[in-house]
Amino acid sequence: MQNQAAVEALYSATFVEDYLDYVENVPDDLQRHHSRLRELDMSQHQELLTELDNLVSQFEAEKDDPAAQRKLLVKMQLPLIASQDIGDDKIQIVQSLTDTIENKTRQLEHDS
């Protein structure tokens, strides 16, 4: 009976150690991914939105010149495409974050 209690205590201690090892890096991973998402939002995406706003203002000012408007429409495509690329990067970061959490969960479930 005491041997069984000792074995269970050992398993519990091992589980707690493994749990702490697994979750120790999760906050760092979460923070790193969150920081990257913020960086994409605050720097790159905001710059593209400012550029796009300027192009829209120019487009509206060129009401009488269809050729100039066409040129501005072509110029507007570049920040829109870049913005879409940033969105794709953000989706990849979120997927990586989800994968990290799922992997840590699976490791904990496997060891329990």
Side-chain angles (χ1 to χ4, degrees):
M1 191 70 152
Q2 287 181 336
N3 282 342
Q4 185 178 0
V7 169
E8 287 179 13
L10 181 60
Y11 284 141
S12 295
T14 303
F15 175 77
V16 170
E17 288 176 17
D18 290 343
Y19 175 81
L20 293 174
D21 287 342
Y22 291 142
V23 298
E24 186 175 72
N25 295 326
V26 171
D28 293 337
D29 292 341
L30 294 175
Q31 182 62 39
R32 184 171 39 86
H33 290 304
H34 182 264
S35 295
R36 181 67 179 133
L37 288 171
R38 283 291 279 169
E39 177 186 326
L40 289 172
D41 276 343
M42 298 307 292
S43 63
Q44 297 176 6
H45 193 71
Q46 288 299 323
E47 290 173 13
L48 291 172
L49 289 177
T50 302
E51 180 182 348
L52 193 56
D53 283 341
N54 291 336
L55 290 170
V56 168
S57 296
Q58 292 174 17
F59 180 84
E60 290 171 347
E62 298 289 341
K63 290 180 182 177
D64 298 332
D65 189 359
Q69 283 186 329
R70 270 189 239 106
K71 288 180 184 178
L72 288 168
L73 285 174
V74 170
K75 286 183 180 180
M76 284 181 203
Q77 287 178 343
L78 297 175
L80 290 172
I81 292 169
S83 182
Q84 188 174 18
D85 290 341
I86 289 172
D88 292 342
D89 291 344
K90 289 170 69 175
I91 288 171
Q92 287 178 335
I93 291 169
V94 170
Q95 183 62 47
S96 175
L97 184 60
T98 303
D99 292 344
T100 299
I101 292 170
E102 287 176 357
N103 287 338
K104 294 292 183 179
T105 303
R106 266 190 243 110
Q107 287 174 341
L108 286 172
E109 287 173 352
H110 181 267
D111 289 345
S112 61

